[in-house]
Amino acid sequence: DARVTQTPRHKVTEMGQEVTMRCQPILGHNTVFWYRQTMMQGLELLAYFRNRAPLDDSGMPKDRFSAEMPDATLATLKIQPSEPRDSAVYFCASGLDSWLAGSTTQYFGPGTRLTVL
Amino acid sequence: AQKVTQAQTEISVVEKEDVTLDCVYETRDTTYYLFWYKQPPSGELVFLIRRNSFDEQNEISGRYSWNFQKSTSSFNFTITASQVVDSAVYFCALSEGSNYQLIWGAGTKLIIKP
């Protein structure tokens, strides 16, 4: 049963510290999405990668957030420096995008619950 | 403009009752896709179903069924003989054409009481 994995599952850090979240997409998937979920804003798309290329990061605060895909099996989301308002659950999702399939079905990882004190 | 409305913020039923979660969408595209996801208390988002705009057949999967009606722009989700394990927040979502962006509904919190 192929799944998206995310580490860490929980992270508590202090304001100003760097936070790195990791995601392993489902093998064979060519798209990766990063989302943030909060009670107030719901699910927000932060970044979108296709074939490891960043195609959309318009949802990310540029000054402190960065997302990369060093290889096809790893996506990272970094926050530096972290702030209390970054406290949220961060989800990674992956999918297989092809012209035959039309829209990509996104499969989500378990999330990283981030608390910034 | 595209939009997904889940008007029911919270539904509470007793186990074994049937329950329907409503989803109404707005789009100008003729090609679009509708999704349902489940988020149980443990927090993960679980994909349930995807339906494209050209396929109006209703879908049944065990106790779950989905009713897609283009005439009313609705894609409702029914759980038959609900169980406590069905307690979760359920999200309806829409994507248009080959657009990767999902437009999410606000979610319906479903509480199944034993």
Side-chain angles (χ1 to χ4, degrees):
Chain A
D1 187 21
R3 293 186 181 211
V4 176
T5 58
Q6 288 186 247
T7 55
R9 294 292 310 276
H10 303 272
K11 176 73 176 179
V12 180
T13 191
E14 292 192 349
M15 184 172 63
Q17 296 297 304
E18 178 177 301
V19 174
T20 298
M21 291 169 269
R22 293 177 174 79
C23 167
Q24 182 172 22
I26 292 172
L27 190 64
H29 282 184
N30 61 350
T31 59
V32 169
F33 304 79
W34 281 105
Y35 287 88
R36 174 169 63 184
Q37 186 180 37
T38 60
M39 290 294 292
M40 295 300 294
Q41 301 294 330
L43 275 160
E44 302 173 90
L45 179 66
L46 298 176
Y48 163 60
F49 290 78
R50 189 176 188 279
N51 295 328
R52 293 177 56 203
L55 296 188
D56 184 359
D57 62 0
S58 57
M60 280 202 314
K62 298 290 188 302
D63 55 339
R64 299 183 300 108
F65 284 58
S66 62
E68 294 179 345
M69 275 201 79
D71 61 60
T73 64
L74 177 64
T76 62
L77 180 67
K78 277 188 190 168
I79 308 175
Q80 168 63 18
S82 57
E83 297 181 1
R85 59 183 165 146
D86 301 329
S87 297
V89 180
Y90 290 81
F91 287 102
C92 174
S94 73
L96 180 60
D97 180 30
S98 72
W99 69 272
L100 280 175
S103 179
T104 302
T105 295
Q106 298 179 30
Y107 296 89
F108 284 76
T112 295
R113 183 174 295 276
L114 174 65
T115 303
V116 183
L117 303 174
Chain B
Q2 64 274 50
K3 188 178 173 183
V4 174
T5 302
Q6 294 180 257
Q8 304 148 309
T9 306
E10 185 174 302
I11 301 174
S12 181
V13 300
V14 177
E15 204 173 17
K16 297 192 177 65
E17 286 185 20
D18 298 348
V19 59
T20 295
L21 309 181
D22 297 334
C23 173
V24 174
Y25 61 91
E26 292 177 31
T27 179
R28 291 185 182 161
D29 268 0
T30 55
T31 302
Y32 53 90
Y33 301 82
L34 295 162
F35 302 81
W36 276 95
Y37 285 85
K38 172 182 180 180
Q39 188 170 39
S42 52
E44 72 269 31
L45 274 158
V46 179
F47 165 72
L48 295 178
I49 190 171
R50 160 190 154 138
R51 175 63 78 217
N52 74 56
S53 53
F54 300 109
D55 181 2
E56 279 193 83
Q57 277 198 332
N58 290 333
E59 175 99 4
I60 298 175
S61 176
R63 297 183 297 104
Y64 293 176
S65 62
W66 290 269
N67 183 1
F68 177 27
Q69 290 200 328
K70 287 174 79 168
S71 60
T72 56
S73 296
S74 64
F75 186 42
N76 296 338
F77 173 29
T78 297
I79 302 175
T80 303
S82 60
Q83 299 177 2
V84 172
V85 293
D86 297 325
S87 297
V89 179
Y90 291 86
F91 292 95
C92 181
L94 161 75
S95 69
E96 296 174 320
S98 58
N99 194 332
Y100 57 88
Q101 293 241 21
L102 284 176
I103 309 302
W104 294 88
T108 296
K109 184 175 182 179
L110 177 63
I111 300 168
I112 311 295
K113 298 179 197 171

